Structures are given as structure tokens and as C-alpha cells.
Amino acid sequence: MTKKNIPSYLEQLNPEQRQAVEHDGSPLLILAGAGSGKTRVITTKIAYLIGEKHVDARSILAATFTKKAANEMRERAIAFEGRAEQAQICTFHSFGAWFLRRHADEAHLAPSFTVYDDDDMATLVARAVPSLTKQQSQLYAHKIALAKDYFLTSDDDLSALDLRGDLNEIYKKYEARLLETGNADFGDLIMKPVHVMEENLRIRENMRYRFRVIMVDEYQDSNVAQFRLLQALAGVDENSGTYVCVVGDDDQSIYKFRGAEIQNILTFREKFPNTKIIKLVRNYRSTAKILAAADAVVNNNTGRIGKTLLAERGEGKQPVLAYVLNQDEEAIFCANMIQKSVEKNAQYSDWAILYRTNAQSLSFEQEFLRRKIPYAVVGSLKFYEREEIKDTLAFLSLVANERDEIAFRRIVNKPVRGIGEKTQDMIVALSREKSQSLIASASAIEGLAKKAKEGVREFCAAFEEIIKTFSSDGKLSLLIEKIITAAGLLEYHRTQDEIASTQRVANMQELMNSAALYECSMDGLLAFLDSIALDRSLEAGSDEESDRVTLITLHNTKGLEFPRVVITGMENGVFPRGDKTSSELEEERRLFYVGITRAQNELYVTSCMQRRMYGRTEFMEPSIFLEEAGDVFRVIGKKPHDDAYGVSRYGGAYRSWERGSTWRGMQSVGAENALLQKWQRGVRVFHDDYGYGSIVKSSMSGDGEFVIAVQFENGAQKKFMPEYQSHLLMIVRE
């Protein structure tokens, strides 16, 4: 090809990108690092094959995972070469549907079959096994879908997906009912084409003759069934005549919980002989010092092919690691940085706050609302809009006011107790007639059907158990803990978590954590509900802002980029999660890598010394990922391994940290002595509400909490747990 005949789209590529575009013959694995322009490469390659190599566009199949990604790939390819419109650029599932429409008989489907979604699957499971509850049917439908992602039938070993051992039988009954309907589910869109091609040589050969080029984008996100489909279409024989090209990044495989299998990309060379690997390592997004942090982290993984990213944008600023006292100071630290940058003409939208779980958004939402910092929660509802939070708050509202009809109707039949609208109307009518509480009316209602009567009795018993907790001493978090357990919300939302890979239980626990600052009394409850009402009122109108800080989980950041990124909650047990080991820990490390590589210009990570978890404050260990990263970060704040204790600007204590220490180890006599020494009798303090005073007593309570008694100059004497008062209670340095 002479220089004057080189298409302009090739001249815009760097050497590695161009090599990937022009490669043909043997299978190709394009290992595309973060920010390396992989979408440009795959769309340019489609155009190049059609325009320069004279490949029939109709013989090209390019598959990806979302409709949005497929549409973008198609539009960009057509912009380079108009004939790319004839190529089959689609999602895996849309290809499966196209295939099965043409071979419905061989797949044992009705010619006009429909595709069942998750709800349809759950309904069919319930009809196939009538003894299952609605929740159980949803859970087993989810497990059947997961089994199909792993290309497992009802005759295979499913013990890894179901410890009870009854999934095989339920799966078998479900499949029998599905066959009777003549329809398919989403898993069938991948499995059935493979089975048809494996069982029918003519169809297999026709497919391989039709598609001479097969390309897969985001290959690291493929599951076992999708790999089997690729094998069936392309064959593993190097003489099959089908050109296979996959594009992906083993360091960005973070969706195992959705069925993604990293071994697909790690073993590609073994499955497809004579594979050529081309690495795209020139990064056009981040600066060199940010990429150095990313490499320092991911290099600790053993399950990777390996590459080192090269920055095209210069050195940049050194990433910052900030140690803060707790999640409240973490939110304050972020808010301060954001406001200072905006004062210097930055945009709110320059900033993204990243966290491991949705529940962590609460402290940032509260702080940003109070400071009037506009924000958007991406990929999920704002904290107080989430179903599980509304459910819990409805119970709290009913405890505060037993005539709250709205709260009562929301939770009386959740989980389902057989208390329908008609029964609820009867209870509300009796309450209005007798001018008594809804709970009293529910206990006294007559004339109900057996199922409704049992449901009402169950609800009233749960409410009575909750009220007993409310009358006890302690923190309001105890009441919330009792609500979510006694009312059945914990089990209900835990099942939803397992079905949809959500974090509803974690969100309820975070609400419980925020309630740990309030007394378990009517005054404490009303103060807590008032604080939430204030936060929610501040939210009004915030969605009108276009210039907003992004609050987002690490998983949802894939494919995004921001000028300034803060990765929060870098503590063992939070990130990485406490239950992660071996390969799962490596995926957590890849998730950190993905977060780091979202940053264009500035990167910050935060680690808390203490965190409210499960309704109490725990000392935290810095994330092992921070130690692995070495000295790539500029550290600010009190380092955990410095002096045993340092004093924050709010008077809170930082605990020393040593590798291998645990929460129980931190509850040692040494810690108790240090607290007693700091908050000892006679120390002068200042409280925002009560003014100046002196400590008259300090001790550890029976449940292991450190408590001080303060005599204030206004005559009041109050007891405090200093760890919960870091914003209000300060030692006076005279």
C-alpha cells in the first residue's frame, strides 16, 4: 500500500494500534490497556477489512455486551466505511435470537417464540414447583440463569451454585415447563445455538461459511457460555478459515458476580493455537504518576498476562493518600477539596467520589447537602430513595406515630403476609372510627380470612417485639437492627441481594450506623427522623444542576473518566471486602486498578482510622492495597504507624496500626489506658451545645464503650462517648 493510498483513519493510529488493525491470518488477542483507544482500533479494523482487504461486510460478526456499546461500534465503523452497515454488529444475545429465529425447530422452540425475562423465569419456576414461595422462586430462577451462564445443564454438578442440593431437580422441572411453552430465556439465547451447532454439522458449517471474521469487544467480560459460542462459530482448528479477533484487558475483569470468567482471556492462546498478542499500552487519559500507582497495585496479581501502561500526557501530580479519623471526616475532607477547587474556577463535574458499596454514599450525600454542593448518584438511587431505606424508615415512623397510615400501608405486608388492600382498608377504617392506633386496630380487627388473620397476628407480634427494644437503654441503632430482623426485612432484602447482586442489606446497615449517634428514646428517634427530613428537603431541586459531583461505585465507573477522582474507604473489610481471598482478592485488586485509571489529572485515596459498622465504631486497618502500592502516594494526615495516638482537629484519637492486628486486638488494655489518659478526670473540654466544662469521670462501660461524664459551667452534667462526638466535643488546650 503506497503512502498516498493509505486511508486517513490508518494515519491517525499509533504503531501498536495500526499493527492490530492490519494483522490478519492467525487468531489475534488485542490486550488493550485502560485509555488506550481500543474502540477506535476495533471499529477501524472493521472498516479496514471491508475497504482495504475486500472482505464481504456480511461475513463480519462483531459482538459486544450492551446495546449501547454495539450501537456505538456500528456508528463509528460506518463513519469510516459505509459498507460496514451490512456487517452484523450486535450483542451476544441479539445474535443468539437471530440464530434461533432461523433454526427454531432444531432448538425445539416455537417458530414465534418469545424470550422470558427474570420475572417470567421466576413465574415459571413457581408453576413448575408450586411448593416454592415467591422469594424462593426468584432465587432459583436467578441460580438457573447463572448455571446457563456457566453452560451447565440440569444434569451437571451444580453444587457450586446451590449448597442445598435441590437446584438440579428444580432446574429440570423448570426446563420441562419451558419446553412445553416453546419459549426461551436469556440463557437459552447463548446455550441453544451452541447445542444446535454441536449436534448439527450442516448448520455448524453454514455458520462458519457465513461468518469468516468474528470479533469480540470487552472480551474480559465474557462468560463460559459466550466462550463456547465463540468456539462453536469459529472452531479451534487453525485451518477452519475463520479469522478470530478479541479485544479486552485482563486487568479490568471485574464482573465475576455477573458470571464473567477471566480465564477466557488468560487461556485464549491455549484455546486458539498460534494466537498473536498485540498490547496497546499507550494511555491517552491519565498522567504518568497516576499510571504508576495503577501498575504498582495490579502488578501484585499473578493471574494476568502483564503489561505496563505508558502515559502520553506527561508526569502530572503525585497521587495523594489521606488518612482521616472516620467517614464523617472523610466526607469533610472531600467537600473541602471540592469547594476550594471550585473557588479556583474548577467545575463540580470535574470531581468523582468512588466507593466500594452503595451504602458508603450516605456520609457524602449528607455533607454535600449541608454545604449545598450539587451531586448526582450514578447507577443507583440517592440513599433515602432506595426501597430498603424507605421500608426501614417507614417502620421508624410507625414507631414514632402509630397512626401513620402511609408508613403502615408500606410495611404491613412486606414481606408478603397476606394482608391485602382490603384488609388494610378495614384496619385503617377501624382506627379512624375508634380514634386509636393502627396497631391497636390491627390487633382488634375481626372478620378476616384465615391467611390475612395469621398475617396480621404475625405483623403485630413483630411490632410488639420492636417496641420492647425501643424501651431499652442504648443507641437507636439497636432499634433499627431489631426492625430489620424482627419484621423480616433483613431476610427479604438479603434474598433480593442474592438475586440481583445488589447491596440492600449493606444500605440498611449504613442507616443503622448513622443512627448510632442517637439515643434509643422518643427524643432520639424524632431527632433522627428530623435530621433525615432535613437532608431530604435539601435534596429538592438539586437535580436541576448540570454541574455536579459524581458519586459512583467502583463497578459503575467502567468506561468513564474524570479530571479529579477520589477513591474512598480504603480499609480492610471495606475495600477489599473482608470475605475475599485468592482469585476473589485479585478481582478486588483489579477493581482498584479500574478506579485509579478513571483519573485524568488528579487522584486521591482516603482511609479511615475508625468506621461505624453494624451500629458500632470499629478501628480499621488500612487496605492491604495501600501497602502493596508502596511509595507512589504522597501521604497527608496522621499515618497509622506513627505515634500510638495523635489528636485530630476535632479532638478524636487515631489508633496505631500494625499489620495483622484485628478489632479484638485493638480492644486491648493498652487502648483502654490510652483513652483513659487522654480523656482523664479534670481535662477541660468544649461542646458545641453546652459550652465549656470539665471531665469528672471516665471509664469503660460494660459493653466495651468508652464513656466520660462532663460537668459544664452552665450547671448541666452530661455523659458522652467521645468517639461519637468528634465534631462536637473538643479538648481545650490551655
Side-chain angles (χ1 to χ4, degrees):
M1 186 184 304
T2 62
K3 184 172 180 60
K4 68 177 181 179
N5 292 328
I6 295 176
S8 59
Y9 55 70
L10 284 182
E11 292 182 324
Q12 298 171 9
L13 303 177
N14 67 38
E16 297 81 20
Q17 291 174 333
R18 182 161 174 177
Q19 182 187 10
V21 167
E22 294 181 336
H23 173 275
D24 61 12
S26 64
L28 175 63
L29 167 58
I30 303 174
L31 204 63
S36 62
K38 72 171 182 63
T39 304
R40 171 181 287 274
V41 170
I42 195 168
T43 53
T44 302
K45 191 173 182 71
I46 293 171
Y48 174 78
L49 288 169
I50 298 170
E52 304 303 321
K53 303 299 287 185
H54 308 295
V55 173
D56 187 341
R58 292 168 296 182
S59 70
I60 297 176
L61 170 63
T64 188
F65 294 88
T66 66
K67 188 174 181 179
K68 179 181 177 182
N71 288 339
E72 181 184 357
M73 191 189 305
R74 182 184 302 106
E75 290 169 5
R76 293 178 67 168
I78 293 172
F80 290 138
E81 168 56 66
R83 285 173 291 176
E85 187 174 12
Q86 300 177 55
Q88 193 147 334
I89 304 173
C90 57
T91 66
F92 273 100
H93 287 98
S94 62
F95 171 79
W98 173 88
F99 178 98
L100 293 175
R101 291 295 175 198
R102 285 153 180 77
H103 303 290
D105 287 344
E106 291 84 355
H108 308 293
L109 296 172
S112 58
F113 72 87
T114 58
V115 181
Y116 283 169
D117 62 15
D118 295 343
D119 289 338
D120 296 328
M121 286 182 67
T123 300
L124 194 60
V125 168
R127 290 176 179 170
V129 189
S131 60
L132 296 177
T133 65
K134 181 178 180 180
Q135 280 185 317
Q136 289 172 331
S137 298
Q138 290 176 327
L139 182 57
Y140 279 108
H142 169 69
K143 290 183 176 181
I144 290 169
L146 195 58
K148 292 189 177 187
D149 285 343
Y150 283 103
F151 208 80
L152 298 172
T153 70
S154 60
D155 294 325
D156 291 318
D157 180 5
L158 303 177
S159 58
L161 302 178
D162 182 57
L163 296 177
R164 292 183 57 181
D166 51 5
L167 178 58
N168 289 80
E169 188 61 27
I170 293 171
Y171 188 176
K172 195 182 297 289
K173 291 180 179 179
Y174 165 82
E175 285 290 278
R177 290 297 294 266
L178 186 60
L179 183 63
E180 290 175 6
T181 68
N183 291 329
D185 57 34
F186 273 98
D188 289 334
L189 297 182
I190 308 298
M191 282 188 78
K192 283 189 178 295
V194 178
H195 286 147
V196 169
M197 283 188 281
E198 287 180 344
E199 295 167 4
N200 193 307
L201 177 62
R202 177 185 59 82
I203 294 176
R204 181 167 71 247
E205 289 182 342
N206 284 345
M207 282 295 115
R208 291 179 183 176
Y209 181 78
R210 165 70 190 272
F211 297 109
R212 310 303 291 167
V213 175
I214 300 177
M215 307 175 74
V216 181
D217 191 20
E218 300 286 4
Y219 188 63
Q220 77 281 345
D221 294 336
S222 62
N223 59 38
V224 174
Q226 287 158 345
F227 169 71
R228 291 288 296 271
L229 179 59
L230 175 62
Q231 273 192 320
L233 286 168
V236 294
D237 184 351
E238 57 187 300
N239 298 316
S240 66
T242 303
Y243 177 67
V244 179
C245 170
V246 299
V247 185
D249 184 2
D250 53 334
D251 291 331
Q252 295 190 71
S253 179
I254 59 173
Y255 296 126
K256 186 174 180 61
F257 66 94
R258 296 180 187 167
E261 179 51 69
I262 190 174
Q263 291 302 316
N264 285 356
I265 194 168
L266 295 180
T267 63
F268 185 82
R269 289 171 292 184
E270 301 168 17
K271 304 297 185 182
F272 292 89
N274 299 319
T275 290
K276 170 75 173 177
I277 296 180
I278 297 176
K279 299 180 182 181
L280 305 183
V281 295
R282 301 192 195 205
N283 179 283
Y284 297 92
R285 176 187 300 152
S286 307
T287 56
K289 291 184 177 179
I290 291 173
L291 295 183
D295 283 334
V297 169
V298 81
N299 281 339
N300 290 277
N301 275 358
T302 58
R304 63 191 295 258
I305 298 172
K307 62 185 177 304
T308 300
L309 296 178
L310 303 175
E312 294 289 311
R313 297 187 53 235
E315 286 293 301
K317 294 184 178 180
Q318 185 175 8
V320 171
L321 164 58
Y323 288 108
V324 294
L325 177 61
N326 53 35
Q327 63 255 58
D328 298 323
E329 283 204 13
E330 185 177 51
I332 290 170
F333 171 79
C334 294
N336 285 342
M337 285 198 301
I338 292 167
Q339 286 190 321
K340 287 177 182 177
S341 73
V342 171
E343 289 170 3
K344 296 178 181 178
N345 297 320
Q347 300 291 310
Y348 287 112
S349 56
D350 289 345
W351 289 91
I353 308 295
L354 280 51
Y355 36 78
R356 180 64 180 81
T357 64
N358 281 314
Q360 290 168 253
S361 76
L362 177 58
S363 58
F364 299 103
E365 292 189 55
Q366 291 173 328
E367 187 65 27
F368 290 0
L369 286 168
R370 289 163 192 160
R371 301 243 198 148
K372 293 183 169 55
I373 295 175
Y375 71 90
V377 181
V378 176
S380 65
L381 295 170
K382 291 182 177 179
F383 190 84
Y384 295 119
E385 295 174 355
R386 295 166 185 165
E387 177 189 0
E388 63 278 8
I389 299 303
K390 284 187 170 184
D391 293 344
T392 311
L393 291 177
F395 254 109
L396 288 173
S397 297
L398 193 60
V399 170
N401 175 13
E402 294 188 11
R403 300 183 70 173
D404 187 334
E405 179 183 346
I406 302 301
F408 175 78
R409 287 185 182 274
R410 180 176 183 91
I411 46 82
V412 70
N413 198 39
K414 193 173 207 179
V416 176
R417 300 183 178 90
I419 309 173
E421 288 287 336
K422 184 178 178 180
T423 302
Q424 293 173 32
D425 290 344
M426 292 172 62
I427 294 171
V428 171
L430 182 61
S431 173
R432 296 175 66 184
E433 178 187 342
K434 300 289 186 181
S435 295
Q436 64 186 16
S437 77
L438 289 161
I439 304 303
S441 297
S443 300
I445 197 74
E446 296 179 350
L448 300 180
K450 181 180 179 181
K451 186 175 182 180
K453 185 176 181 180
E454 291 175 352
V456 169
R457 185 186 301 115
E458 177 188 330
F459 175 78
C460 290
F463 193 85
E464 183 179 350
E465 189 176 344
I466 290 166
I467 291 298
K468 288 179 182 177
T469 300
F470 188 48
S471 63
S472 63
D473 294 332
K475 294 167 285 187
L476 194 62
S477 55
L478 295 175
L479 178 63
I480 295 181
E481 183 177 19
K482 177 58 71 173
I483 284 173
I484 64 178
T485 53
L489 293 177
L490 180 63
E491 191 57 36
Y492 173 80
H493 289 298
R494 178 181 285 139
T495 301
Q496 300 306 308
D497 281 349
E498 190 169 352
I499 292 169
S501 297
T502 50
Q503 298 161 349
R504 295 184 176 192
V505 170
N507 293 336
M508 291 191 294
Q509 289 172 340
E510 189 62 26
L511 183 69
M512 184 169 68
N513 293 337
S514 66
L517 305 176
Y518 297 83
E519 296 296 321
C520 192
S521 63
M522 183 58 74
D523 287 344
L525 173 58
L526 294 177
F528 180 61
L529 292 175
D530 285 348
S531 71
I532 292 173
L534 175 61
D535 284 347
R536 296 174 77 173
S537 67
L538 289 171
E539 286 180 354
S542 62
D543 287 341
E544 297 177 3
E545 293 278 355
S546 59
D547 181 22
R548 298 178 290 185
V549 178
T550 297
L551 300 181
I552 188 170
T553 64
L554 284 147
H555 278 104
N556 281 328
T557 62
K558 187 80 175 296
L560 303 178
E561 57 186 36
F562 307 92
R564 296 173 166 127
V565 166
V566 189
I567 303 176
T568 61
M570 294 302 302
E571 304 111 39
N572 288 337
V574 178
F575 189 30
R577 301 281 292 275
D579 57 346
K580 305 299 182 184
T581 58
S582 59
S583 64
E584 292 180 332
L585 185 61
E586 294 212 346
E587 180 158 316
E588 291 280 291
R589 197 175 283 113
R590 292 193 294 271
L591 188 58
F592 188 26
Y593 172 88
V594 167
I596 291 173
T597 54
R598 300 311 95 192
Q600 295 172 299
N601 304 326
E602 297 177 22
L603 171 68
Y604 304 84
V605 299
T606 59
S607 180
C608 294
M609 308 298 171
Q610 303 171 8
R611 186 172 289 275
R612 289 188 299 276
M613 300 181 72
Y614 313 110
R616 64 179 298 166
T617 295
E618 294 193 10
F619 291 105
M620 307 300 293
E621 297 179 351
S623 171
I624 60 171
F625 299 155
L626 298 179
E627 180 183 357
E628 292 173 350
D631 59 359
V632 297
F633 295 106
R634 177 171 66 87
V635 178
I636 64 175
K638 180 67 66 172
K639 291 184 181 181
H641 55 271
D642 284 350
D643 298 335
Y645 284 87
V647 179
S648 79
R649 57 196 171 94
Y650 294 115
Y654 289 125
R655 179 67 172 90
S656 64
W657 173 76
E658 295 177 351
R659 185 166 176 79
S661 60
T662 63
W663 162 242
R664 292 184 178 83
M666 291 177 175
Q667 291 288 81
S668 62
V669 175
E672 179 179 342
N673 289 341
L675 286 169
L676 288 169
Q677 182 177 3
K678 179 185 176 185
W679 301 93
Q680 61 184 295
R681 179 186 174 95
V683 169
R684 291 271 290 164
V685 299
F686 178 84
H687 192 280
D688 284 0
D689 294 333
Y690 304 104
Y692 289 93
S694 297
I695 298 176
V696 295
K697 185 179 180 181
S698 57
S699 61
M700 300 295 289
S701 68
D703 60 359
E705 299 284 3
F706 183 75
V707 180
I708 62 173
V710 179
Q711 180 67 52
F712 289 98
E713 292 178 354
N714 65 5
Q717 186 175 112
K718 299 290 182 180
K719 291 183 178 181
F720 303 97
M721 287 180 285
E723 60 187 342
Y724 297 129
Q725 295 285 326
S726 60
H727 290 270
L728 304 175
L729 189 65
M730 302 172 62
I731 293 177
V732 179
R733 307 296 182 187
E734 298 179 347

